[in-house]
Amino acid sequence: MSSSPALKQSVCLANLAPELDLELTAVLRELSLEIVPVDQASLAFCEPGGLDALRRMHPGLPVIVVSPHSNVTEWLDALDGGAVDYCSAPFELAHLGWILSSRQRPLAAAAA
């Protein structure tokens, strides 16, 4: 899958377990996304346990919660906690591409 202008954003991976970090990094690189430190990111990925701290430290930063296993309760808690989305491993190129593209639409509409 080639990257599109909608996917031209910088993301950070905040305190992920090594196996999640490796898998997510591979997919994000395949989407040609730039992985940057949190203070330079337009979007963050974190595990459920890190959401509150990340939102406190960077309140305006949209966060997608990622998990090693799909869990409906965890998903709903993440959304209630302020996450913009939730996804679980195995991370699929098309699914992450869709999530990231959907995050850009409100920004593009606001800029118009």
Side-chain angles (χ1 to χ4, degrees), residues 14-102:
N15 301 317
L16 297 180
E19 62 278 358
L20 277 179
D21 191 296
L22 286 172
E23 185 177 348
L24 188 55
T25 296
V27 175
L28 294 173
R29 286 197 174 136
E30 198 166 339
L31 289 167
S32 299
L33 292 174
E34 183 179 11
I35 300 173
V36 298
V38 67
D39 60 331
Q40 298 172 16
S42 59
L43 180 71
F45 289 89
C46 76
E47 290 189 66
L51 178 61
D52 289 338
L54 187 58
R55 291 196 31 84
R56 271 194 311 274
M57 292 172 56
H58 304 278
L61 184 64
V63 179
I64 296 173
V65 170
V66 295
S67 180
H69 307 288
S70 184
N71 180 307
V72 173
T73 301
E74 189 175 75
W75 172 40
L76 295 173
D77 287 346
L79 295 178
D80 285 344
V84 297
D85 215 326
Y86 172 94
C87 64
S88 60
F91 303 113
E92 297 178 11
L93 191 63
H95 184 227
L96 275 175
W98 180 85
I99 288 172
L100 293 165
S101 291
S102 70

